[in-house]
Each structure stands twice: as structure tokens, then as C-alpha cells.
Amino acid sequence: MQQRAIAEGRLLAAYDGRRLVAMARINAFKQWWHGAAMPMAGIGGVVVAPEYRGSGVGRQLMTAVLGRAADHGYPLSALYPTTAPPYRAVGYELAGRQHFVTVPAEAVRTIAPASRVEVRRAGPHDVVDVMATVARVHARHLDCGPIEWPSHDVAEWLGEDETFAYLADDGFVAYRWDGSHALAVDVIVGDSENTVRSLWALVGSGSSIARTIRACVPPDDSVRLLTRDLTVTTEKGVWWLLRVVDAPAAVAARGFPRGVEVEVPVTVADPLVLGNTGAWLLQVKDGRGQLVPGDGGGIELAANGFAALFAGTRVSMLRQAGLATGGDPRLDGMLDAVFAGMAFMLDYF
């Protein structure tokens, strides 16, 4: 991964003379937003030498990362922070979390389908089918936040000895033994009831050796509705942050609710990405959106506020946090309606 990032110009470093003092990697992902996938720069491997922390080198590095992400055509960027302030300082804001559930394996085993669904073991040679199936489910469910890894990384993961991966016509599951009397589900997605039940029951068939099953799932995942008793416990994982790198491109690539048609003025102030700055008119119709130059008078958002709005944060919450000001509060509900969605990720990077 590191060598590929270097070859593709996605690894950035900061030097003091000839001494390496900081570095960051741009991971080449796609991210789903209301059922539409767009390129996303996933920032990982951010390291600043201890003696240089607080010197401003981290901000300089992240500013350069944003510029490189823009050069590579990424409308969005996301990251998992170890601490939020340095990233908020360059326009990233809280967007969503990983959501984990733990269920007794025996309870999962009893999630039986009404009729048998054919599944087959998946390996590296199935990477195209696996990615296409997962993509169809995300599109169908209008998911916001899940990422799509490059095919070579998915193929490598499918080839790992500890990964048990199974593919159905409209679903996919991959899980592993975690070595502590539990099974860990890396991904489980399905479209139809029978497929979802079949995939969970497949994992639950390991109940003779595993006491519990832990899975990363959407915050409203149906497993809570499928189990007979109140046996699902929830553990909320780490937050991830979002940054809009190219506002017009991000809005154009995002999916929006069909049947909602609005025109709302929005003003964005983004000193690090001047192309985002200005008065815009947000137009949404037939599930698509665009930002066109406007005349002003709209709600005022800094880069952080626009990122949080894009991720589905209600405008009333943005106003309470000081991330949104001005404009006509009577239009806030329109923005809530078009950006509605619970953002989540299923992968850590």
C-alpha cells in the first residue's frame, strides 16, 4: 500500500532540512452518499515527530494534503482522528461513526430464512462479483458513508487465510475467528430478507465454538429486528471526520432524495480552498444536485459547517455549535431534507 501510494503521488512528507518530521498518506477510496459513489481521499498514516508537534508543521502538511487531494480529483476527504483539533483547524468536521453490535452466537444461529438461499465461498477470483454485489446493496439502501476499497486491496483481503467470505446473488458476508471465543464480522450486506437471514445464520453456525459475534453494521441495521429477544448490545466506535475538497463537484456527485425539489442560497467561507468560497445556490431535483453561483443572503457556513451539513447534521445543531449563521431559518428544514441520512462507515483505515 505504501509503495503504491508513493508511485501514485499519494504520500506526502515534511522535512526540516534533510530530516523527515511528518508524513501522511492519501488512500484512494470511493465513498457512498445517498446511494451514489464518488472518489474520496481517505487520509491515513498521519505522523508528526513529537518534538515538532505544536509547531505548525501538521497544519502545513494537511494543507498540502488537501491541495494534492484536489489535484487528484477527490471531491471529499475523510479520516479517523486520534485527536480532532488539528483536523478541525483545516476544515474537517465530525460526520459519523463505526457502529458495532455484539450478539450471542446462538441467537444469530436461529435467524433462519424462510427458504434456502444459495451462497458460495468467495476468493480473490471473485473480486469483481463481490464489489458489484456490495455496491448494488449500498446503492439500493441509499447508504451514506461506507467506503469502497480499490479492487487489488479487496482481492488481497479475500485471499487471506483467516477470512471466511461468502457471496449470494444479492448479498455478501466476510467474517473471521478473533481468537477469544468470538467471531468478528468484517462486512455483512444483503438486499432481500431471505439473503440477510441466510448470511447471519451462516455466521451463527459457528455457535458451537463461538460464544458471541461482533459486527460492524449501520446504526439502524436489521439484526436488531431479526433476533427473537433483546440480545443485541451496541458499542459505538470511533468517530470519523469529513472535509469537502471541491464543493460543486461533491454536490454534483452526491445522491439526494427523490421527490424533493429545492433551491436554497448557501454561502461558504473556506480560506484553504478558495474554489469553495462564495455565494451559491443549491439546486436539488430528481435525486441530483448542483451548486451554481448565487446572489448571497443564504445560510453562512465555514468549511467545517459545510462538511457537517453534507454528512447529514441537522442545521439546528450546526447553529447551536456556531457552525452555521445567518440566512433564513425557515429554509433550514429544506437543507435538512436534502442532506438527510445517518452517515456511517464499516471500515477503519
Side-chain angles (χ1 to χ4, degrees), residues 47-283:
V47 179
V48 177
E51 65 272 27
Y52 283 84
R53 293 170 189 165
S55 68
V57 68
R59 180 185 176 90
Q60 293 176 18
L61 176 65
M62 288 306 301
T63 300
V65 165
L66 288 175
R68 185 62 57 85
D71 293 342
H72 281 239
Y74 295 103
L76 294 176
S77 176
L79 55 82
Y80 284 97
T82 53
T83 180
Y87 303 109
R88 280 177 156 161
V90 293
Y92 286 84
E93 195 46 78
L94 295 173
R97 288 199 260 201
Q98 287 184 299
H99 292 258
F100 292 93
V101 295
T102 300
V103 196
E106 181 60 25
V108 173
R109 186 185 64 81
T110 62
I111 303 177
S115 58
R116 187 168 180 268
V117 171
E118 293 293 332
V119 299
R120 61 182 173 88
R121 185 75 180 265
H125 56 285
D126 298 300
V127 62
V128 173
D129 290 341
V130 167
M131 294 182 69
T133 300
V134 173
R136 284 196 300 271
V137 174
H138 286 321
R140 168 79 170 164
H141 292 184
L142 304 178
D143 287 333
C144 292
I147 63 173
E148 180 180 295
W149 291 77
S151 58
H152 45 72
D153 290 327
V154 177
E156 184 177 330
W157 168 62
L158 289 171
E160 293 176 356
D161 291 339
E162 63 269 25
T163 299
F164 295 90
Y166 295 89
L167 184 64
D169 286 342
D170 64 340
F172 173 72
V173 65
Y175 64 97
R176 53 193 162 78
W177 173 251
D178 78 350
S180 61
H181 304 290
L183 293 171
V185 177
D186 293 320
V187 60
I188 182 167
V189 297
D191 200 11
S192 65
E193 177 190 355
N194 268 357
T195 294
V196 172
R197 286 182 176 273
S198 294
L199 296 179
W200 276 114
L202 177 64
V203 180
S205 66
S207 60
S208 61
I209 58 171
R211 290 197 291 262
T212 60
I213 294 170
R214 184 174 184 263
C216 187
V217 297
D220 58 349
D221 192 77
S222 62
V223 68
R224 298 175 179 83
L225 307 175
L226 293 172
T227 49
R228 295 175 182 173
D229 297 312
L230 302 178
T231 56
V232 179
T233 59
T234 302
E235 166 200 341
K236 294 183 177 179
V238 65
W239 279 94
W240 52 274
L241 308 183
L242 185 71
R243 215 291 186 190
V244 178
V245 179
D246 184 331
V251 169
R254 192 190 198 277
F256 291 92
R258 291 190 176 275
V260 177
E261 182 176 344
V262 301
E263 285 193 350
V264 184
V266 175
T267 298
V268 179
D270 189 345
L272 293 185
V273 184
L274 296 180
N276 291 343
T277 297
W280 302 97
L281 184 64
L282 171 68
Q283 300 175 327

